Amino acid sequence: MRSLIVGTGSYSPEKVLTNADLEKFVETNDQWIVERTGIRERHVGAPDQASSDLAFEASKRALEMAGVSAADLDLIVLGTITGDMPWPSTAALLQGRLGNKKAFAFDVSAACSGSLYALSIADRYVATGVAKNALVVGVDMLTRIVDWKDRNTCILFGDGAGAMVIKPTDDPKRGLQSFHLHTDGSQWAILHQPGPGSRHPLSQQLLDERGHYLVMNGREVYKFAVRALVDSCREALAANHLSASDVTYVIAHQANKRILDATLERLEIPASKCWMNLEKYGNTSAASVPTTLDEANRAGWFKPGDTILVTAIGAGMAWGAGIIRW
Ligand code: UT7
């Protein structure tokens, strides 16, 4: 048995922060941001919105498309690194909000690869018959943990949520085919948030040293990302006996237009096959893949049996690729 995506949904907070807005508080400019990243604007959560609120909106939309009632979910897997609170899991909070009593629910911490990791886990439960109606969510509010004084990072990120409902299918030509996930923990320092945590508990010193903000070595992440995305996509294609020309569409984590262009060029896949939306949203971390999938789906891109290559990379470093037969 395989699992099939039967519903997608996404949600972006209302408030939009443009590159021109950023120019007012950090030394940057629209031209630099567009040329180096492809980003023009990003969405920022309202002060009273938390990740589970964004996840709730995206989940409602995915459930509606799937024709599945929230009460019937038996599994919720949620990728995030900016949950509502340290614990309990944002998946548990989402379950409560959805009024569901039946599902077991947990978070996955794999940063920008969070929803890809979450999807691969939910796939295992569904394909083995343990779960029949699974909800997979990617949500992040990185604007809550970026240093708005650091122009190297604050221009990149936005808030959002994306969701997918998966169910079992007997159709051998459709469904999630395989995932190829990787982690290189020796590279954790190139993209991380020092605290608060058990290494650096909340303290005045942590705040004074700005240790509660996201830290990134952009150049190192960039180099790592292109190599890792290309390698994992090649691995996913080879495992499914596919060549680049067999790929109908690519759904990729929206980190940086240059990273995606370089990756697609190396894979010899035309850029027109890859849905791009980072111009509007920036990098929304775990929300990026399911939001992108939802937009392409609602635009009518996918037909049953289409071959979709999905790929993501983020802090860990954690990355991977998978093949979906729509
Ligand atoms: O999900 C994964 C998350 N992370 C990423 O995807 C990030 C991957 N990395 C990148 O996307 C790129 O490295 C960046 C977009 C972050 C930076 O682009 P870059 O081409 O690697 O620029 P750079 O860091 O080499 O900086 C070039 C110059 C520097 O000035 P100097 O030292 O050459 O004088 C920076 O200080 O651009 C300067 N700079 C800026 N200028 C205007 C850095 N940030 C800005 C800015 N506005 N916002």
Side-chain angles (χ1 to χ4, degrees):
M1 205 152 44
R2 293 193 190 279
S3 31
L4 186 69
I5 298 176
V6 292
T8 60
S10 54
Y11 173 78
S12 298
E14 225 170 273
K15 185 180 168 190
V16 172
L17 191 71
T18 65
N19 291 348
D21 294 330
L22 284 166
E23 284 175 15
K24 291 175 201 146
F25 56 89
V26 277
E27 206 186 315
T28 189
N29 58 79
D30 178 58
Q31 192 190 346
W32 191 96
I33 301 174
V34 173
E35 277 175 9
R36 301 285 175 129
T37 71
I39 301 165
R40 291 183 189 277
E41 53 191 40
R42 67 287 291 143
H43 291 246
V44 177
D48 63 348
Q49 276 182 316
S51 289
S52 68
D53 301 319
L54 275 51
F56 178 68
E57 297 301 330
S59 300
K60 271 199 310 196
R61 293 170 190 186
L63 287 163
E64 192 186 340
M65 183 189 288
V68 170
S69 122
D72 291 334
L73 290 171
D74 44 20
L75 171 65
I76 300 173
V77 190
L78 182 148
T80 193
I81 50 166
T82 49
D84 289 29
M85 46 187 95
W87 51 272
S89 70
T90 301
L93 300 173
L94 174 64
Q95 186 216 23
R97 190 75 196 280
L98 287 168
N100 170 286
K101 299 275 184 202
K102 206 159 78 171
F104 61 107
F106 58 93
D107 288 357
V108 174
S109 172
C112 301
S113 295
S115 46
L116 190 64
Y117 271 56
L119 183 61
S120 81
I121 296 166
D123 169 46
R124 291 297 83 209
Y125 283 112
V126 172
T128 52
V130 176
K132 294 210 162 17
N133 292 302
L135 176 66
V136 179
V137 181
V139 58
D140 266 312
M141 301 186 75
L142 289 200
T143 69
R144 297 288 212 256
I145 58 161
V146 293
D147 184 345
W148 290 104
K149 291 197 160 107
D150 177 12
R151 67 175 184 172
N152 292 295
T153 54
C154 75
I155 56 146
L156 295 173
F157 301 103
D159 301 337
M164 298 165 274
V165 176
I166 64 173
K167 285 171 80 92
T169 177
D170 290 331
D171 187 342
K173 295 199 196 77
R174 300 182 67 193
L176 309 182
Q177 304 294 306
S178 68
F179 291 96
H180 306 270
L181 305 179
H182 297 279
T183 306
D184 182 354
S186 72
Q187 298 300 311
W188 68 269
I190 64 176
L191 183 54
H192 70 287
Q193 182 186 1
S198 53
R199 183 154 312 274
H200 302 292
L202 185 60
S203 65
Q204 192 56 51
Q205 188 187 349
L206 182 78
L207 300 176
D208 292 345
E209 291 171 358
R210 308 181 82 72
H212 54 307
Y213 290 129
L214 176 158
V215 178
M216 182 179 75
N217 180 331
R219 270 182 217 187
E220 288 306 313
V221 172
Y222 187 102
K223 279 191 287 186
F224 193 104
V226 175
R227 210 171 42 232
L229 290 173
V230 170
D231 288 351
S232 57
C233 286
R234 285 193 176 136
E235 186 187 345
L237 291 172
N240 290 278
H241 311 291
L242 297 169
S243 66
S245 59
D246 296 320
V247 173
T248 328
Y249 294 114
V250 179
I251 294 297
H253 168 50
Q254 306 281 303
N256 179 319
K257 186 171 185 308
R258 283 157 58 215
I259 292 177
L260 287 181
D261 286 346
T263 301
L264 293 166
E265 197 183 313
R266 282 174 210 197
L267 291 171
E268 296 183 27
I269 296 177
S272 58
K273 289 189 173 186
C274 181
W275 187 272
M276 298 288 267
N277 58 22
L278 87 175
E279 201 177 86
K280 296 186 288 180
Y281 303 125
N283 179 345
T284 58
S285 188
S288 170
V289 162
T291 299
T292 308
L293 188 79
D294 181 49
E295 282 199 352
N297 187 24
R298 285 175 194 264
W301 258 27
F302 308 141
K303 304 280 173 289
D306 276 356
T307 299
I308 301 166
L309 173 63
V310 55
T311 188
I313 173 121
M317 298 297 285
W319 70 99
I323 299 289
I324 300 171
R325 291 259 195 214
W326 197 252

